[in-house]
Amino acid sequence: MQTVTLNVQGMSCGHCVKAVEGSVGKLDGVDQVSVKLDEALVEVSFNESQVSLDTIKETIEDQGYDVE
């Protein structure tokens, strides 16, 4: 299991939190997703043999946010 913290720009409300947590949480291999809205951070725990970090980033970007 690997845990990463991503800097995600563009999140501004509870809907943003639900969109990111919901979409990333549905990915196979993702164990936990936690959005810290005030800090513009997303912490993801995942099994790197099931899902790649690039896939997680792309999923967040598909929701309309910028991953730095």
Side-chain angles (χ1 to χ4, degrees):
M1 196 67 63
Q2 181 177 351
T3 301
V4 296
T5 302
L6 303 170
N7 187 336
V8 179
Q9 298 301 310
M11 300 182 300
S12 61
C13 63
H15 173 75
C16 301
V17 172
K18 288 181 181 180
V20 171
E21 288 181 346
S23 62
V24 174
K26 289 179 184 175
L27 295 172
D28 287 336
V30 172
D31 182 52
Q32 186 174 357
V33 184
S34 176
V35 173
K36 296 179 181 173
L37 189 60
D38 294 341
E39 300 172 43
L41 298 175
V42 176
E43 186 174 278
V44 184
S45 296
F46 63 100
N47 184 333
E48 58 273 14
S49 67
Q50 290 182 280
V51 64
S52 70
L53 181 57
D54 285 342
T55 298
I56 293 169
K57 288 179 179 180
E58 288 171 10
T59 300
I60 294 170
E61 289 171 348
D62 286 347
Q63 296 299 312
Y65 309 107
D66 294 321
V67 180
E68 296 180 356

